[in-house]
Amino acid sequence: MFQGKTAIVTGAAGNVGSALARVLASRGARVVAVDTVRDRLEATVTGLAGSGHLAVSDCDLADPAAAAALVARAGRVDAVGTTVGGFDMAPLADTDLAMWDRMFALNVKTTWNIYQAAVPAIRAAGGGALCGIGSVAGLKAGGQVAAYAATKAA
């Protein structure tokens, strides 16, 4: 199904991202796994079926230039799965603009930047897919995750 295809997976050291990477690799994709947690990322990539996978831990996807460099490094791109995310906890009244900005950069800008960088490469490869995986918190927020929930709903 994915033989000869390359998929970028962001947040690949996390539970959802590593599962997505495993499924794609098991179906023949070359996976470019991206995360800042180097040891977990390396373990994810080492455990993938097939060969040619790439672990990238030095890429800040909140920076559009870094996203573009990642796509160039990947070469062919047929799909992008975005699972990157994180959260800070605080009651709404204690959520300051700095927390809001951190959550927006991590949970929204990273996805926007990698999609913007990858779409031309996906088109050049003849088409493909973008798959954004969010959180149920984007539909129903809990008590102390206002900034996180808002960015997951974005």
Side-chain angles (χ1 to χ4, degrees):
M1 174 181 245
F2 288 97
Q3 287 300 120
K5 308 285 186 187
T6 297
I8 296 173
V9 177
T10 69
N15 292 334
V16 175
S18 62
L20 178 58
R22 284 191 303 274
V23 167
L24 290 166
S26 73
R27 296 187 176 164
R30 173 181 168 256
V31 175
V32 177
V34 185
D35 206 299
T36 58
V37 184
R38 181 183 215 117
D39 58 337
R40 288 186 63 187
L41 179 66
E42 293 291 340
T44 294
V45 171
T46 299
L48 296 178
S51 62
H53 308 298
L54 183 61
V56 179
S57 61
D58 60 350
C59 183
D60 178 5
L61 292 175
D63 175 6
L70 174 67
V71 169
R73 187 173 174 188
R76 176 189 179 105
V77 178
D78 300 280
V80 178
T82 54
T83 73
V84 70
F87 64 92
D88 284 334
M89 292 184 70
L92 181 60
D94 297 333
T95 299
D96 60 15
L97 187 57
M99 181 185 292
W100 183 268
D101 287 344
R102 273 192 312 278
M103 291 297 89
F104 195 86
L106 181 59
N107 295 323
V108 180
K109 281 181 70 177
T110 56
T111 296
W112 173 260
N113 289 339
I114 192 62
Y115 286 175
Q116 286 291 300
V119 164
I122 290 171
R123 285 180 175 159
L130 303 173
C131 178
I133 299 174
S135 169
V136 71
L139 300 173
K140 183 177 178 175
Q144 296 193 15
V145 292
Y148 172 76
T151 61
K152 286 301 185 176

